Amino acid sequence: MNDSSPQGILVCDKPQGLSSHAVVSRIRRWFGTRKVGHAGTLDPMATGVLVLGLGRGTKLLGHITGVSKTYDATIRLGAGTPTDDADSEPDLITDPAVLAAVADADIETGVAALRGPIDQVPSAVSAIKVDGKRSYARVRAGEDVVLEPRRVEIDRFDILETRRDLGAGHIDVDVVVDCSSGTYIRALARDLGADLGVHGHLTALRRTRVGPFDLGAAVTIPEDLDSPTPPLLPLAEAAAALLPTVSVDAAGAKALMQGKSLAGPWASGGEALASGAEVAVIGDGELVSVAEIRGDSSLKSRTAFAIGLA
């Protein structure tokens, strides 16, 4: 059985103004395939790394969604918006005298307080579902939505530059953030402003890294979708960047695809693999499956990628 449709991972540099769904639609047209998905939404205002899976690459997206991410952002202190970013007009304005009293040291202290593990309340205008309905849809319908806090990890939250324009009523703070999956950078902007007593929202956001995938590997989506398509990152290479790898021969690959277990113990890079570990199984240079190390040290396939073996 041969599958000539595109199979692999594409890292793209999402342009401003497009939703992640719109990017998926453009990639479908560009590559001439329907089976395309993405690993984690970027708001239309944001730019930067959006990882997409094509064909069997969509099966790998679940392993990409939960990885850590890096963002460059600009936080504007002095005003808040309903969406916590620049996609809506300010509805909370700080008194200029109060804003002028905020020193750089105060901003640094506020940023430091938001590093590490924190309980973050996501922005109400978000895609989180509440009783089966998107939170943003409930807000737009006039409902007062307050989401439950979520534990996230802010590994890095550093100030790059602070620019004051008190005449215009704001202080802009350029930052870089390394964080766990599920973190809302616009919620960090909102909370920093709230902690300083001056309101805050996000005016710029660029995602520069998703796990092992960064802007250096990203392609720009052309306006002319009849342009030649770039090569996709092979599934084996993408999986190896995300997970420990083990190699199997043709017989082992076929056995895994038939639902059988392969006796262990198993190791990757000279390190023994513990029970419960997820691994990328490679056979003849191809991704056979994402498998799990069982309690008896055997290997059992969880997600099959190879075709024509079972």
Side-chain angles (χ1 to χ4, degrees), residues 44 83 124-126 133-143 145:
T83 57
V125 184
S126 67
K133 188 175 180 180
R134 300 290 185 186
S135 180
Y136 65 74
R138 291 184 176 276
V139 171
R140 289 169 184 169
E143 296 183 36
V145 178

Side-chain angles (χ1 to χ4, degrees), residues 204-245:
L205 182 65
R206 183 161 177 76
R207 189 156 67 190
T208 60
R209 180 187 64 85
V210 174
F213 311 110
D214 60 24
L215 283 171
V219 302
T220 301
I221 304 170
E223 289 296 324
D224 178 10
L225 297 180
D226 291 325
S227 301
T229 56
L232 297 175
L233 184 66
L235 293 176
E237 187 175 337
L242 294 161
L243 299 166
T245 62

Side-chain angles (χ1 to χ4, degrees), residues 111 190 202 234 269 277 284:
V111 165
R190 175 202 66 202
L202 208 63
D284 194 25

Side-chain angles (χ1 to χ4, degrees), residues 16-57:
Q16 191 171 41
L18 284 185
S19 67
S20 298
H21 179 72
V23 170
V24 167
S25 296
R26 292 183 67 84
I27 297 302
R28 285 173 175 159
R29 290 162 53 200
W30 193 16
F31 281 81
T33 183
R34 293 295 304 167
K35 197 168 185 182
V36 180
H38 66 76
T41 301
L42 268 180
D43 292 334
M45 185 194 85
T47 67
V49 175
L50 185 66
V51 182
L52 300 111
L54 284 75
R56 293 190 300 280

Side-chain angles (χ1 to χ4, degrees), residues 164-189:
R164 294 173 177 269
D165 190 344
L166 298 179
H170 62 250
I171 301 171
D172 284 343
V173 185
D174 295 333
V175 299
V176 59
V177 181
D178 290 337
C179 58
S180 63
S181 177
T183 302
Y184 282 82
I185 307 301
R186 51 196 166 112
L188 286 178

Side-chain angles (χ1 to χ4, degrees), residues 55-110:
R56 293 190 300 280
T58 58
K59 293 183 178 183
L60 201 56
L61 295 179
H63 299 278
I64 300 173
T65 303
V67 299
S68 64
K69 300 170 175 67
T70 299
Y71 297 88
D72 291 336
T74 299
I75 297 171
R76 175 157 291 180
L77 300 175
T81 72
T83 57
D84 300 325
D85 62 18
D87 276 345
S88 58
E89 293 298 317
D91 60 347
L92 299 169
I93 306 296
T94 301
D95 183 283
V98 174
L99 185 64
V102 176
D104 287 356
D106 298 324
I107 299 172
E108 177 56 56
T109 298

Side-chain angles (χ1 to χ4, degrees), residues 204-294:
L205 182 65
R206 183 161 177 76
R207 189 156 67 190
T208 60
R209 180 187 64 85
V210 174
F213 311 110
D214 60 24
L215 283 171
V219 302
T220 301
I221 304 170
E223 289 296 324
D224 178 10
L225 297 180
D226 291 325
S227 301
T229 56
L232 297 175
L233 184 66
L235 293 176
E237 187 175 337
L242 294 161
L243 299 166
T245 62
V246 298
S247 297
V248 296
D249 58 17
K254 186 171 183 178
L256 285 173
M257 294 303 92
Q258 292 174 338
K260 299 175 183 178
S261 297
L262 299 182
W266 294 89
S268 178
E271 296 290 331
L273 293 166
S275 173
E278 285 189 328
V279 300
V281 182
I282 310 297
D284 194 25
E286 300 292 329
L287 179 61
V288 174
S289 77
V290 171
E292 180 183 1
I293 305 296
R294 295 297 185 90

